[in-house]
Amino acid sequence: RLHPRKPPLEATDNRDDAGYLDVAVSDVKHPPVQLSPMPEGLSSQQVVRRHILGSIIQSERSYLESLRRILEEYQSPLLEANPRILSPRKIQPVFYRLREITQCHSMFQIALASRVAEWDSSEKIGDLFVASFSKSMVLDVYSDYVNNFTNAMALIKKACMSKPAFLEFLKMKQASSVDRITLYGLMVKPIQRFPQFILLLQDMLKNTPKGHVDCLPLQLALTELEMLAEKLNEQKRVADQIAETQQLARSVSDRSLSKQLNSDQGSLVLCETLIETVYGERGQVLKSKERKVFLFNDILICANINVKGPLDISSLVPVGPKYTVKWSAPLLQVQVVEVGQEASQETLFQLGGAKHPGSAWKVILGPPRLYQELQDLQHDLSVVEEVTLLVGTLQGTYQNLNTTVAQDWCLALQRLIRIKEDQLQSANKCRLRLQVLGRPDKSGRPVSFMVVFNTPSPLSKISWVNRLHLAQIAQREENTPGWFCAEDEGKTMSPFWPLLACRVPVFTTKSSDRKVSSSLKPALHNPGQFSAGCTLLPQGYLWVASGGDVTQGQVEIFSLNRPTLRPVKSLQVGAPVRCLEYVPEPRTSEEVEAVAFRSSTGVGNTICLGLDDGSILVYGSVNTEAQCLLNLRNPHSCPVLCLKHCTNFLFAGLRDGTMMVYGRSNGGTLWEPDSSRTVIVGPEPVRTLLLLEDSMWASCANSVTIIEGSSLATQRFEVHPDPMVTVAHMVRAGGGVWMAFSEGSSIRLFHTETLEHLQEINISTRVSLHNPGQKSMRVTSLLIHQGLLWVGTVQGIIITLPVPKLEGIPKITGKGMTSLNAHCGPVDFLVATSSTLSPELLKRDSVADGPDSACGEEDRSYSSSQESLPQSGSSQGEGGGKGRGVLLQYRLRSTSGLPGRPLTVRGDEASDSSLESLEHSLEDGSIYEFSGDPEMWVQGRPCERDGGRRDRGISAAVISGGRGFHRLREGTTERAGVESSETTLMMWELPLTV
């Protein structure tokens, strides 16, 4: 039965609580959720889905039990204690909104029970999650709880120090509990709940066959949960940023700096506890000290950490640190110096750490010596290579003086060089070296000093380098501001929007009497993995081709291996280029099934160009030595409008409404001209192609034709009611495809399996610019990348709209941002490039790091809660207990951290006692075991099942092409100054994701 209760005391804050009903669920009327015995004859996927459902039931039951324990074992005894341990005024804020959260999940439990009872007939769960967690009241109560969490922990910590009876109460409760879990261990569970749901639903979706009734509901559920988690994550980031900035501002004695910190202009980007290291003349470590380093959008601050408190309590409950600013510098006066870059900058080593300007003590760091040794080896190798050539010209035969011996010398030196390069890279992995412009000396000359920090991990160092770089380019004129949103309240803005890093002209070498069409087509080559540089930009090559009303086509190749786009080569072709397609060398891994449509061959990297004369040119190299290897022609010389490849086939959409499909012979390295097959798509031109896992979507007029695999069977569906409208662009993310059209300013979202029309957005209403009297916007390019839908328009304006990043449905729910950097004509293309950090780069070499890893013996590390980096499964550290202690853990690694048995296709006999519920193992935090950082807690033992996981870092950029460049005025389409009318590329950098 449902028993109404009085509203909780927390509801006295003038908040509208009309949406909440305080209920108690009777175990008699609503018995615990129970899955019936497994019927016979189930498929392996059905068995796995049942096990995942069992995990959902068990984890929800465990979660509800934890919530009730907080209320019944902590809140109620504290409120009813006589004599009082704490006053009700202090108790209520600690447990703020927990009762409402419990109610939400009690109602979910009832709905889950009825769904589980009919599981074997329906096998549907996704819609239940959508119905239960898409309500605004769920977001409200969780938002209040998450935003209050840090405050609640601070109140508990303060009470532990001032009320010995309260500290004793907490210890007694933990000692008397079966699993010895602390109050903190219980209260952190709501923060982890939605990431756990997301993981379970991802597993469920992976094991849901195509066409299953639960497929679309699961994708929609993932979308809802991801949006909910992201909103909570962003609110926590902003709250923590404000709290950290206020803590620093209270410790600053410099009035101007304090005023700067308290202003609304500055925002905290990253802060972390790093180890500052000072070296002696022989490269030895003279001293090391913990520093808190704060990166704001305009200033870098280094502070001493002063932890003070009563000795008898500080060992259990350290007081939050106070800071003493050691130095601060404007960001533009700070430079990252990597190993080897300082060889020509001897003046950088005049100062060491705390030494004052003008000191005569010269500091020689260890890595420059390694760099000099590497240069010596390279010099010796060049000499030995010359000697080898000379030895080859000897007329006589001499012992130990022949070409074979000389080549052995070369090989030995090459091995030594590789070893030295590895040592240099290892020395650089966790060492952040900054050149800072200090105060001028007595003569007025500026003095620079070098500061060396050891970061907790290679990934931390890479994050610092990337954020410093982005914060500096964010201060350029074109990025202040770079984006505009009329609806933005200024509370939820991300640390960095995409930042315009550079813009370069294209086709400037053409003679002035020839007109160049602004119709650009791109192709990108990415090597996949890259090493860390100063800017951490993706690497590779960008091919840009011209098309339109010219007799010839031109291709310009740009290198992405520098901070700015750099042209490296131009190619002339016989006709205008209509499209390009980069074809990477197929993988020869076992994971690729031997299916004709997706099997692998030994072909190298190629780029295909579709021309106006019907030719398809295949180039065998993607760098400066591009050579044409093959020329494919269609029978009627019909212009090739679009190209798309899968591993063994090349699809070419033609202007006459047909599609040519070229295959490879067995073991062949190139497409076979004689193997071509023709697919009739429709009467109109085939405008665009989109590859899904096992099918190709081709657009023709207002319809899309789906070509299935190697059978080339077709299915057609209409996507726009007007037959005069053509599908011009298609992009896919998760379970949805966004489409833009030749007319109108609307874009439409369709489901990849059911082909259901899910959403329609009018771009002109989402543009944050006042645009009276101008024609409606038409979309000229689409791109989805890293949670943003990029839309290029005929007016040259670029809009971004937030979409989910996971496997759900890419619905648009957030506010649109308009770039104030625009083209003067249509945005011809938008293309994304990304690279993954080499795994070797992220491995910490403990031997190389040994002498410099001061304080490394402490088994703890720190991280900024502003950073909100991905976290491990159950609030536990990564290998060796050195996990980051961010409280908000919305991106869990795997289901191994969840309560209950591990998921398996086998039955109950698969249970392993060593993998039992984490609810009954040592938990990861203690309310009276804080580390020195007030936001962090000591980590418990790591989860061994996650031990093999490796961190990844992905660098990304977006490039647009179109005629000219101009700046828009904030809030209007008026131009703030046209700088160029020639064909231009603009490149936006995105923050490194780790």
Side-chain angles (χ1 to χ4, degrees):
R1 295 178 62 185
L2 302 182
H3 301 285
R5 291 179 180 169
K6 293 179 181 179
L9 294 177
E10 296 97 309
T12 59
D13 60 350
N14 298 323
R15 181 180 296 273
D16 181 12
D17 285 319
Y20 304 112
L21 177 64
D22 197 1
V23 297
V25 180
S26 166
D27 288 341
V28 178
K29 183 78 172 178
H30 300 284
V33 184
Q34 194 69 40
L35 191 57
S36 61
M38 189 179 300
E40 295 180 359
L42 297 182
S43 68
S44 60
Q45 276 190 328
Q46 286 176 310
V47 173
V48 174
R49 279 171 59 82
R50 259 181 149 269
H51 280 297
I52 297 167
L53 179 64
S55 290
I56 292 172
I57 295 168
Q58 186 172 349
S59 66
E60 183 65 10
R61 185 185 301 149
S62 169
Y63 178 58
L64 256 177
E65 176 61 25
S66 297
L67 294 175
R68 287 171 180 154
R69 280 175 64 179
I70 299 172
L71 297 174
E72 294 170 8
E73 297 179 16
Y74 288 90
Q75 186 187 35
S76 295
L78 285 170
L79 286 170
E80 297 165 4
N82 189 11
R84 283 181 177 171
I85 299 173
L86 282 182
S87 68
R89 189 174 51 84
K90 292 182 179 178
I91 295 170
Q92 293 300 347
V94 170
F95 303 102
Y96 187 52
R97 291 297 191 209
L98 271 167
R99 196 171 295 280
E100 285 92 336
I101 290 175
T102 306
Q103 291 160 16
C104 289
H105 286 268
S106 295
M107 303 307 291
F108 175 64
Q109 184 90 333
I110 296 171
L112 182 63
S114 64
R115 188 57 57 90
V116 168
E118 58 190 33
W119 177 258
D120 292 314
S121 59
S122 68
E123 285 197 30
K124 194 174 179 183
I125 193 76
D127 58 327
L128 178 60
F129 278 88
V130 174
S132 299
F133 299 110
S134 61
K135 299 170 184 171
S136 60
M137 70 175 189
V138 177
L139 175 62
D140 289 343
V141 294
Y142 269 97
S143 293
D144 289 344
Y145 183 83
V146 166
N147 291 337
N148 183 64
F149 187 83
T150 302
N151 177 52
M153 293 301 107
L155 288 170
I156 293 173
K157 182 168 58 177
K158 189 175 179 181
C160 284
M161 294 180 60
S162 60
K163 305 278 187 181
F166 179 66
L167 182 59
E168 194 59 37
F169 171 80
L170 294 183
K171 288 183 177 180
M172 182 190 68
K173 284 292 181 183
Q174 183 196 14
S176 62
S177 63
V178 176
D179 48 17
R180 297 188 59 80
I181 196 167
T182 62
L183 177 59
Y184 165 73
L186 292 169
M187 290 189 66
V188 80
K189 290 181 183 294
I191 290 178
Q192 300 166 338
R193 191 62 194 134
F194 290 114
Q196 292 172 347
F197 273 152
I198 286 169
L199 281 173
L200 288 163
L201 292 190
Q202 282 178 314
D203 277 352
M204 188 71 89
L205 186 59
K206 284 176 190 171
N207 290 281
T208 302
K210 188 175 179 181
H212 193 284
V213 66
D214 202 21
C215 205
L216 177 56
L218 279 172
Q219 290 172 323
L220 289 170
L222 270 176
T223 299
E224 291 292 342
L225 291 174
E226 183 187 351
M227 289 189 301
L228 186 59
E230 285 294 332
K231 285 176 182 175
L232 296 176
N233 205 14
E234 180 65 10
Q235 289 173 3
K236 184 74 166 75
R237 185 192 66 79
V238 172
D240 286 347
Q241 170 186 305
I242 294 168
E244 195 74 63
T245 305
Q246 289 174 345
Q247 175 76 0
L248 176 64
R250 283 194 292 266
S251 308
V252 171
S253 57
D254 186 323
R255 186 171 296 177
S256 62
L257 182 57
S258 179
K259 186 177 180 182
Q260 190 174 352
L261 291 174
N262 286 316
S263 72
D264 294 332
Q265 301 303 314
S267 62
L268 184 61
V269 176
L270 180 62
C271 70
E272 193 169 15
T273 301
L274 306 178
I275 309 296
E276 184 183 359
T277 310
V278 179
Y279 297 86
E281 292 185 7
R282 295 183 301 280
Q284 77 277 24
V285 177
L286 292 181
K287 68 172 184 175
S288 59
K289 180 84 173 176
E290 280 190 345
R291 309 283 188 209
K292 192 66 173 278
V293 185
F294 298 84
L295 172 61
F296 288 86
N297 60 335
D298 55 354
I299 191 170
L300 187 70
I301 298 175
C302 176
N304 286 330
I305 303 170
N306 304 317
V307 182
K308 295 179 181 178
L311 291 177
D312 58 334
I313 298 178
S314 60
S315 60
L316 296 175
V317 193
V319 183
K322 293 183 179 179
Y323 302 117
T324 306
V325 173
K326 190 168 184 287
W327 54 261
S328 63
L331 265 189
L332 298 180
Q333 296 178 7
V334 178
Q335 177 189 353
V336 177
V337 181
E338 297 287 7
V339 170
Q341 292 182 350
E342 73 283 350
S344 61
Q345 302 172 349
E346 290 299 327
T347 54
L348 299 184
F349 305 101
Q350 294 302 311
L351 296 166
K355 289 287 178 180
H356 297 288
S359 168
W361 180 34
K362 188 175 182 181
V363 176
I364 305 297
L365 302 178
R369 184 178 301 164
L370 287 174
Y371 185 69
Q372 185 60 50
E373 291 169 359
L374 176 63
Q375 285 186 315
D376 293 343
L377 284 170
Q378 289 170 336
H379 170 267
D380 293 350
L381 178 62
S382 63
V383 171
V384 171
E385 285 173 340
E386 291 179 19
V387 171
T388 305
L389 292 173
L390 291 172
V391 167
T393 64
L394 291 172
Q395 299 297 320
T397 303
Y398 307 96
Q399 187 178 7
N400 294 333
L401 194 58
N402 54 55
T403 308
T404 304
V405 173
Q407 287 174 343
D408 286 343
W409 297 342
C410 288
L411 289 172
L413 279 168
Q414 286 169 352
R415 278 195 298 271
L416 289 172
I417 286 173
R418 281 198 297 272
I419 291 170
K420 196 62 64 179
E421 286 174 340
D422 288 343
Q423 289 175 345
L424 267 171
Q425 195 180 62
S426 295
N428 223 12
K429 281 180 183 178
C430 293
R431 192 169 288 111
L432 179 67
R433 298 148 53 85
L434 303 177
Q435 178 193 353
V436 182
L437 188 64
R439 293 174 180 171
D441 58 17
K442 293 179 180 177
S443 62
R445 291 180 302 177
V447 177
S448 294
F449 61 93
M450 181 78 80
V451 185
V452 183
F453 294 111
N454 266 22
T455 61
S457 68
L459 209 54
S460 168
K461 182 259 175 82
I462 290 165
S463 278
W464 275 100
V465 173
N466 180 252
R467 293 303 197 272
L468 279 163
H469 164 70
L470 287 177
Q472 288 174 336
I473 67 172
Q475 294 193 57
R476 295 178 187 169
E477 184 180 357
E478 60 268 29
N479 290 315
T480 52
W483 298 83
F484 177 73
C485 177
E487 304 168 343
D488 189 47
E489 299 91 0
K491 296 177 183 176
T492 58
M493 184 169 286
S494 297
F496 287 112
W497 286 99
L499 295 165
L500 183 61
C502 66
R503 64 178 195 273
V504 295
V506 196
F507 307 130
T508 54
T509 56
K510 287 211 160 195
S511 57
S512 58
D513 58 339
R514 278 177 62 198
K515 290 186 177 179
V516 182
S517 167
S518 63
S519 175
L520 303 179
K521 303 296 176 185
L524 272 168
H525 158 57
N526 282 125
Q529 293 185 343
F530 68 102
S531 299
C534 246
T535 60
L536 298 171
L537 281 171
Q539 297 182 343
Y541 293 91
L542 171 70
W543 288 44
V544 181
S546 66
D549 302 325
V550 288
T551 56
Q552 277 194 313
Q554 182 177 352
V555 176
E556 279 208 29
I557 305 174
F558 291 84
S559 170
L560 300 176
N561 303 333
R562 301 288 172 88
T564 59
L565 289 165
R566 184 171 57 96
V568 291
K569 185 166 184 171
S570 290
L571 301 175
Q572 297 288 335
V573 291
V577 182
R578 292 287 190 153
C579 52
L580 294 93
E581 173 76 349
Y582 167 61
V583 184
E585 184 172 5
R587 292 181 181 179
T588 55
S589 62
E590 297 177 355
E591 65 192 50
V592 180
E593 297 292 335
V595 180
F597 188 64
R598 299 175 69 188
S599 64
S600 59
T601 67
V603 70
N605 297 329
T606 56
I607 284 191
C608 303
L609 278 63
L611 305 188
D612 209 39
D613 63 1
S615 302
I616 300 174
L617 304 181
V618 181
Y619 283 81
S621 176
V622 294
N623 56 22
T624 55
E625 298 177 1
Q627 295 180 340
C628 186
L629 302 179
L630 184 63
N631 186 343
L632 301 170
R633 284 187 172 274
N634 64 68
H636 307 294
S637 299
C638 191
V640 181
L641 301 186
C642 48
L643 286 170
K644 194 66 67 175
H645 84 283
C646 59
T647 308
N648 256 7
F649 290 95
L650 179 67
F651 293 80
L654 308 183
R655 193 166 66 184
D656 63 2
T658 62
M659 188 164 66
M660 303 297 296
V661 184
Y662 299 91
R664 288 192 178 107
S665 60
N666 291 331
T669 57
L670 290 172
W671 315 111
E672 291 285 342
D674 300 334
S675 70
S676 65
R677 289 182 283 175
T678 303
V679 178
I680 297 174
V681 180
E684 299 293 321
V686 179
R687 290 287 179 190
T688 182
L689 297 172
L690 179 68
L691 175 67
L692 272 66
E693 288 83 1
D694 52 0
S695 62
M696 186 70 68
W697 287 28
S699 77
C700 180
N702 63 336
S703 299
V704 170
T705 300
I706 302 173
I707 298 99
E708 295 291 340
S710 55
S711 70
L712 302 185
T714 61
Q715 174 190 359
R716 181 174 169 274
F717 72 106
E718 189 177 279
V719 295
H720 198 284
D722 188 347
M724 302 303 293
V725 170
T726 302
V727 181
H729 307 282
M730 296 189 290
V731 289
R732 185 257 180 107
V737 174
W738 278 104
M739 299 184 189
F741 306 94
S742 58
E743 303 293 335
S745 56
S746 291
I747 56 175
R748 295 182 166 210
L749 174 65
F750 293 87
H751 190 231
T752 55
E753 291 184 21
T754 66
L755 310 181
E756 185 180 339
H757 179 203
L758 300 175
Q759 191 179 18
E760 183 166 1
I761 295 291
N762 188 340
I763 292 302
S764 61
T765 63
R766 291 295 182 116
V767 179
S768 308
L769 300 173
H770 304 298
N771 192 18
Q774 194 164 351
K775 294 179 183 178
S776 67
M777 291 197 163
R778 180 168 60 84
V779 176
T780 56
S781 49
L782 280 180
L783 170 72
I784 289 183
H785 191 60
Q786 289 199 356
L788 287 177
L789 173 63
W790 294 64
V791 183
T793 65
V794 71
Q795 286 91 349
I797 296 171
I798 296 172
I799 305 148
T800 60
L801 298 157
V803 293
K805 299 175 186 175
L806 300 180
E807 311 92 303
I809 303 297
K811 293 173 68 177
I812 295 169
T813 55
K815 293 170 282 192
M817 298 290 295
T818 305
S819 175
L820 296 176
N821 298 295
H823 291 283
C824 300
V827 181
D828 289 314
F829 71 80
L830 288 162
V831 64
T833 172
S834 60
S835 302
T836 305
L837 282 169
S838 167
E840 293 300 316
L841 198 70
L842 303 178
K843 285 183 182 175
R844 181 163 186 163
D845 190 331
S846 57
V847 177
D849 289 339
D852 297 333
S853 296
C855 299
E857 70 279 358
E858 290 192 43
D859 199 21
R860 60 176 181 167
S861 63
Y862 305 92
S863 172
S864 163
S865 50
Q866 286 74 24
E867 188 61 31
S868 295
L869 293 177
Q871 299 307 313
S872 56
S874 56
S875 182
Q876 291 163 340
E878 299 173 19
K882 295 195 175 183
R884 293 169 176 265
V886 180
L887 292 178
L888 200 64
Q889 300 174 353
Y890 277 140
R891 299 184 184 90
L892 304 180
R893 301 296 187 183
S894 71
T895 49
S896 63
L898 301 183
R901 289 190 293 269
L903 303 178
T904 170
V905 295
R906 291 182 290 170
D908 293 341
E909 72 278 2
S911 174
D912 183 344
S913 60
S914 66
L915 301 179
E916 279 303 319
S917 168
L918 291 179
E919 291 293 311
H920 304 289
S921 64
L922 289 174
E923 53 91 26
D924 47 84
S926 169
I927 205 60
Y928 42 87
E929 289 179 341
F930 293 100
S931 71
D933 190 323
E935 301 299 328
M936 308 305 148
W937 283 266
V938 172
Q939 301 293 295
R941 67 179 187 182
C943 180
E944 293 179 3
R945 280 174 286 167
D946 277 346
R949 181 192 52 73
R950 284 180 180 168
D951 287 302
R952 294 201 314 156
I954 298 173
S955 175
V958 171
I959 302 165
S960 70
R963 176 75 70 182
F965 167 83
H966 69 270
R967 285 275 294 169
L968 301 174
R969 295 189 187 277
E970 197 170 345
T972 172
T973 51
E974 291 179 24
R975 298 183 178 185
V978 177
E979 297 188 18
S980 167
S981 60
E982 59 192 349
T983 309
T984 303
L985 301 180
M986 290 192 282
M987 182 169 75
W988 280 267
E989 280 191 56
L990 284 77
L992 187 80
T993 55
V994 290

